[in-house]
Amino acid sequence: MNSVQLFNLTTIGYFASMVLFLVYLIARSPKLALAATAVAWAGFAANTAGIALRYFEAVDMGYNQAPLSNLYESVVFFAWSILLVYLLMDLKYKQRAVGAFVIPFAFIGMTWAQLGLDDAIAPLVPALQSNWLTYHVITCFLGYAGFAIACGASIMYLILDTQKDKDNKHGILALFPDIRVLDDINYKAIMFGFPMLTLGIITGAAWANYAWGTYWSWDPKETWSLIVWFVYAAFLHARFTRGWVGKRAAWLSIVGFAATIFCYLGVNLVLSGLHSYGGA
């Protein structure tokens, strides 16, 4: 078995987990929630094994590099990061309905990687041949994963907010966490993601100085990274100084994740710049 086959199993696992979480919302069976979580863990294990195996496959080909060298590998790592942060938060909150709104992000990413991207292992371009790349990519994607969890919780919050004037929640909403719990998940996920993104920008600047001789060059990726950073800095500032919670915080979290996705994919695929190799 090779790494691509393991990633295929990962995609199947995330799909099965997503479907089980959705069925759980309809059937309201705790056993289905437990099964969905177990399958998510299995998919995460396959994702982890695939990333590790891909590293050794690259070494066997003579490339001593982390499996973060192109868009395919970065999307696979993004899906892995989402599951890592989600499963850790699930251990704390045990709010299984959240999985129905978070696992789809990882499933969509893996499906796109497997069906639409080139999975060939190739040597790193000279600009990427630095340990700073590993530090930069890992911290950025852990930050992105935190923002994905926050976005999923925020979508649930806004759906639930439409029923706030009713005494009892009905249908699938009955399994949603309390609105204060969703707000807390949104806040905690961003409190995790924001320092990770900050470290990602700092290590990226160090890498830029190593590769291009300057810490900052207002490349489109750098500019959008700064925009995303300011959005989440505004989120935390508004929460600490203005008491922004609930609906306004949820909307800002969703806007922040949309900006994050554009920074990650839109800039690479649409705009040209020093990071254009990331769209390969």
Side-chain angles (χ1 to χ4, degrees):
M1 181 171 285
N2 59 37
S3 61
V4 174
Q5 290 171 323
L6 278 172
F7 293 143
N8 282 331
L9 290 177
T10 302
T11 307
I12 294 170
Y14 291 166
F15 174 73
S17 177
M18 178 183 70
V19 171
L20 285 169
F21 274 124
L22 292 173
V23 175
Y24 159 66
L25 291 180
I26 298 171
R28 307 183 190 184
S29 168
K31 291 181 179 178
L32 280 173
L34 188 61
T37 303
V39 174
W41 275 103
F44 177 69
N47 201 341
T48 304
I51 291 172
L53 182 58
R54 193 167 179 87
Y55 167 75
F56 289 108
E57 288 171 347
V59 170
D60 287 342
M61 296 171 68
Y63 311 139
N64 187 18
Q65 60 192 35
L68 302 166
S69 61
N70 54 31
L71 186 58
Y72 174 83
E73 293 178 346
S74 73
V75 172
V76 166
F77 187 76
F78 185 28
W80 180 87
S81 302
I82 290 173
L83 262 291
L84 173 67
V85 178
Y86 164 72
L87 290 172
L88 290 176
M89 295 197 76
D90 182 67
L91 291 175
K92 171 180 172 58
Y93 288 97
K94 301 188 186 306
Q95 297 291 340
R96 300 290 157 69
V98 176
F101 289 82
V102 171
I103 299 295
F105 292 134
F107 168 66
I108 291 170
M110 289 300 299
T111 301
W112 181 44
Q114 295 305 96
L115 299 180
L117 298 178
D118 183 3
D119 59 15
I121 297 176
L124 286 167
V125 300
L128 300 179
Q129 293 175 1
S130 166
N131 287 332
W132 285 112
L133 166 71
T134 305
Y135 310 143
H136 171 60
V137 174
I138 288 175
T139 50
C140 280
F141 278 110
L142 287 175
Y144 293 176
F147 301 152
I149 310 302
C151 179
S154 295
I155 292 171
M156 295 181 76
Y157 184 99
L158 293 175
I159 294 173
L160 202 55
D161 187 66
T162 62
Q163 304 294 314
K164 66 180 180 182
D165 295 331
K166 298 180 180 178
D167 292 334
N168 296 310
K169 295 183 291 185
H170 300 285
I172 64 172
L173 299 184
L175 290 176
F176 277 32
D178 184 83
I179 207 162
R180 288 168 297 182
V181 174
L182 289 171
D183 184 69
D184 190 55
I185 293 174
N186 182 24
Y187 168 64
K188 294 286 177 55
I190 290 176
M191 279 296 291
F192 169 80
F194 183 71
M196 288 294 108
L197 176 63
T198 303
L199 284 173
I201 291 174
I202 293 171
T203 53
W207 170 31
N209 185 56
Y210 169 85
W212 303 307
T214 177
Y215 288 99
W216 198 268
S217 55
W218 296 106
D219 174 73
K221 175 72 83 175
E222 295 171 347
T223 303
W224 271 95
S225 294
L226 197 59
I227 290 171
V228 172
W229 189 89
F230 274 119
V231 169
Y232 286 106
F235 175 98
L236 295 174
H237 177 75
R239 193 174 186 102
F240 293 146
T241 63
R242 302 280 184 177
W244 270 36
V245 295
K247 193 173 180 179
R248 288 182 295 185
W251 275 115
L252 191 54
S253 177
I254 293 171
V255 169
F257 188 60
T260 300
I261 292 300
F262 184 79
C263 175
Y264 170 36
L265 297 176
V267 170
N268 284 24
L269 300 176
V270 177
L271 305 178
S272 62
L274 295 172
H275 288 76
S276 295
Y277 49 77

